[in-house]
Amino acid sequence: MWITDHHELTPVERHGDIYIKRDDLFTIAGVRGGKARTCRHIIETTPTSYTHGVITAGARHSPQVSIVANISKLFDVPCRVHIPHGPTTPEIESAAEAGAEVIRHRPGYNSVIDGRAKRDARESGWTLVPFGMRCAAAVTMTAAQVHNIPDDTRRIIMSVGSGMSLAGVIAGLDIAERATPIIGVVVGADPRRNLNTFSPGWEQTATLVPAGVRYQDEVVAHAPIPLDPIYEAKAWSFTEPGDLFWAIGHRDIIDAGAVRS
């Protein structure tokens, strides 16, 4: 069952002795997951008189540019995405098909594409959807989803990219006054700077472990649900009986016209 209301709780499923938080079931404009929820919130809460367009940056294998472009198309606003130079990936192709202007940068370091997107937003006056969803809204929107985590959850297992979803889960646990430990499986760059900014004291709740696989390499997980091959699939093997696996999202585009909440 797809969830289309961004204030609604996505379900928790039980599969044998493991729970799965299905945040990948939130969808808008055919794109899915927590990043999509945050992007919708950013665009919806920007006053109409200032939303002349939307700008973002993302890695070539990250679903961020596809998410932002497709949601921008839904809201009928132009979009520009800043990415590293290199071959076109399905995520970049999806952004272009949604009408986004794709701007490639060399060198394509995260700091470069992030900085160029920020400058573009300042100069154009367009709305910036931050690289990695690094904003307070990402924390707030994810924190609300902690509400239906079962009381007997032993640990929470989740993939960690920018660290913003992890920061949101920690915030939700704090609000609920719960001490459930989190294992964060790092699939990309070091997220600690973001965690220190948006979730001070995160070390008291979360332990970071390396995925042991390069970011751009895809993994197939033997899990009861389809998992994103770049993110969630790399964290699945860390799941043990009694754990809750947090499925943040999935890069696959769905038929938006067929969605039913």
Side-chain angles (χ1 to χ4, degrees), residues 215-232:
Y215 172 76
Q216 65 269 28
D217 291 343
E218 295 190 359
V219 169
V220 176
H222 299 290
I225 66 168
L227 296 178
D228 187 275
I230 299 289
Y231 290 89
E232 275 66 35

Side-chain angles (χ1 to χ4, degrees), residues 22-258:
R22 298 298 308 272
D23 221 27
D24 62 314
L25 291 181
F26 172 77
T27 185
I28 176 175
V31 292
R32 305 165 52 183
K35 279 190 174 183
R37 183 190 292 112
T38 298
C39 179
R40 171 179 178 166
H41 176 80
I42 292 171
I43 295 176
E44 278 193 328
T45 56
T46 300
T48 303
S49 58
Y50 294 101
T51 310
H52 304 297
V54 176
I55 291 169
T56 197
R60 291 188 306 111
H61 296 278
S62 168
Q64 171 138 347
V65 295
S66 172
I67 288 170
V68 176
N70 279 280
I71 297 177
S72 296
K73 180 181 179 181
L74 177 70
F75 283 91
D76 197 26
V77 291
C79 177
R80 280 198 292 271
V81 300
H82 294 259
I83 62 168
H85 181 83
T88 296
T89 61
E91 291 70 39
I92 298 170
E93 185 176 353
S94 171
E97 289 177 350
E101 178 185 359
V102 178
I103 304 175
R104 290 174 163 84
H105 298 282
R106 179 184 285 164
Y109 301 125
N110 288 347
S111 58
V112 172
I113 61 173
D114 183 23
R116 298 292 174 81
K118 288 177 178 175
R119 186 174 70 186
D120 190 0
R122 287 195 302 269
E123 293 176 352
S124 66
W126 287 16
T127 298
L128 177 68
V129 177
F131 175 72
M133 297 294 171
R134 294 184 302 204
C135 58
V139 177
T140 301
M141 300 299 287
T142 301
Q145 290 296 321
V146 174
H147 184 72
N148 62 346
I149 297 304
D151 292 337
D152 61 345
T153 298
R154 187 174 74 94
R155 302 181 306 174
I156 295 173
I157 311 297
M158 61 191 305
S159 64
V160 178
S162 66
M164 296 310 301
S165 294
L166 173 57
V169 174
I170 292 173
L173 291 173
D174 287 344
I175 292 169
E177 298 183 344
R178 296 184 56 167
T180 309
I182 303 173
I183 303 299
V185 182
V186 180
V187 301
D190 190 341
R192 287 178 291 183
R193 182 176 181 180
N194 289 337
L195 290 170
N196 290 338
T197 300
F198 291 94
S199 185
W202 60 270
E203 303 97 327
Q204 299 176 31
T205 302
T207 300
L208 299 179
V209 298
V213 182
R214 295 186 307 168
Y215 172 76
Q216 65 269 28
D217 291 343
E218 295 190 359
V219 169
V220 176
H222 299 290
I225 66 168
L227 296 178
D228 187 275
I230 299 289
Y231 290 89
E232 275 66 35
K234 294 172 183 174
W236 177 256
S237 63
F238 292 84
T239 308
E240 298 177 356
D243 290 345
L244 178 140
F245 184 85
W246 192 291
I248 298 170
H250 202 293
R251 71 192 56 242
D252 284 356
I253 299 288
I254 63 169
D255 180 2

